[in-house]
Amino acid sequence: MNPAGAAAPDQSKGTLRVVQLYPRDMNIYGDWGNALVLKRRIAWHGYTPELLEYNVGDPFPEGVDIIVGGGGQDSGQLVIQDDLQARAGVLTDLAEDGTPMLLICGLYQLFGRFFKTRTGAVIPGIGVLDVETHGGDERLIGNVKVASPEFGEVLGYENHSGQTTLGSGVRPLGTTAKGTGNNSNDGHEGARYRNIVASYLHGSLLPKNPAIADFLIRTAAERRFGSFIPGNPDDSFAVLAREHAARRPR
Ligand code: GLN
């Protein structure tokens, strides 16, 4: 291992390709950090990370192992909407095939059926997730703690006007112990479908929630290589970040 904790290329267990969707337009509250965590943890596990960006108009990469998508202002969502529709087929195929994906806030909404903004504009989604979102008058802002049956306590920060309702085709990521989550009514946060983790939580999410990062990496390695051989990630900063985040008031 070199000082950064990455395996030398000749010792690598293989390459995992991470594609970040629309980082130019959909990347707020440090969502970029999710891609950086995946890059570092993939290396810590002894694999070679390859991090690619996909922006409006780009050719869509081949051989995708993990997809991450961030949040954005309503205006950013309007910018990407046509391109996203043009990519609905490939993204739906990847999702249905079991590609692990992390979708935060604005892209969580647009992997659903639609986002109707506060001003009445309807931004169509690609319908991979059985959810719909209606912009409300109240912005839901603050620190969030979620109890997740799969990932334990999930910590993050929310800031959205969208109120998302889940259909029967998805299950929630968890229930909110602090904060609002999907909407003001049902106490649910995020959505799970196949190997997709969708959430309103920024912060960014993965530095404070390595269990979710490792779920994405393990799933990607199993799909690509037939098995996942874990390494020894350094979780000391994640532990500190979690302690700090958990103490923050709403
Ligand atoms: N624009 C969307 C909303 O306000 C998404 C916000 C976000 O991604 N933080 O609901």
Side-chain angles (χ1 to χ4, degrees):
M1 289 248 181
N2 64 28
D10 59 346
Q11 297 165 345
S12 170
K13 298 169 190 166
T15 298
L16 291 174
R17 178 172 287 182
V18 180
V19 172
Q20 197 179 9
L21 287 183
Y22 305 115
R24 206 163 56 204
D25 300 296
M26 301 292 291
N27 174 31
I28 55 174
Y29 301 116
D31 286 340
W32 196 285
N34 293 322
L36 296 181
V37 165
L38 288 172
K39 190 175 169 193
R40 178 51 61 95
R41 285 188 87 83
I42 286 170
W44 277 341
H45 283 301
Y47 297 81
T48 302
E50 190 182 6
L51 183 54
L52 303 180
E53 291 179 16
Y54 174 79
N55 285 298
V56 170
D58 287 347
F60 201 84
E62 300 285 326
V64 178
D65 293 301
I66 302 178
I67 288 199
V68 282
Q73 313 292 348
D74 294 6
S75 54
Q77 292 171 292
L78 286 165
V79 168
I80 66 152
Q81 64 171 331
D82 291 344
D83 192 86
L84 182 65
Q85 289 304 319
R87 296 302 181 191
V90 65
L91 292 170
T92 303
D93 289 349
L94 287 168
E96 292 296 328
D97 196 42
T99 305
M101 301 188 182
L102 177 70
L103 303 170
I104 302 297
C105 201
L107 276 170
Y108 166 23
Q109 295 170 344
L110 296 187
F111 268 65
R113 301 196 181 287
F114 61 85
F115 172 38
K116 185 170 182 186
T117 71
R118 275 183 64 240
T119 56
V122 177
I123 307 175
I126 57 174
V128 166
L129 300 173
D130 181 15
V131 310
E132 58 180 63
T133 304
H134 297 258
D137 290 332
E138 181 197 4
R139 276 203 88 79
L140 307 170
I141 305 175
N143 293 300
V144 182
K145 221 183 247 187
V146 178
S148 156
E150 288 172 279
F151 304 114
E153 187 171 77
V154 176
L155 300 163
Y157 172 83
E158 66 183 333
N159 184 351
H160 54 108
S161 72
Q163 301 255 350
T164 297
T165 313
L166 307 189
S168 58
V170 296
R171 58 188 192 280
L173 174 62
T175 49
T176 45
K178 175 166 78 184
T180 309
N182 287 337
N183 59 64
S184 308
N185 307 313
D186 63 23
H188 288 154
E189 205 305 294
R192 285 281 287 112
Y193 174 69
R194 298 205 186 272
N195 290 321
I196 299 176
V197 176
S199 172
Y200 268 110
L201 302 190
H202 305 277
S204 38
L205 183 71
L206 293 186
K208 292 191 281 296
N209 298 282
I212 298 178
D214 282 354
F215 162 78
L216 299 167
I217 295 167
R218 183 180 71 240
T219 306
E222 286 171 353
R223 284 167 46 77
R224 172 72 54 198
F225 307 115
S227 65
F228 172 57
I229 305 160
N232 288 307
D234 174 0
D235 279 338
S236 55
F237 285 109
V239 169
L240 287 175
R242 287 179 63 78
E243 284 170 7
H244 190 77
R247 280 200 305 271
R248 282 190 192 135
R250 166 69 174 153

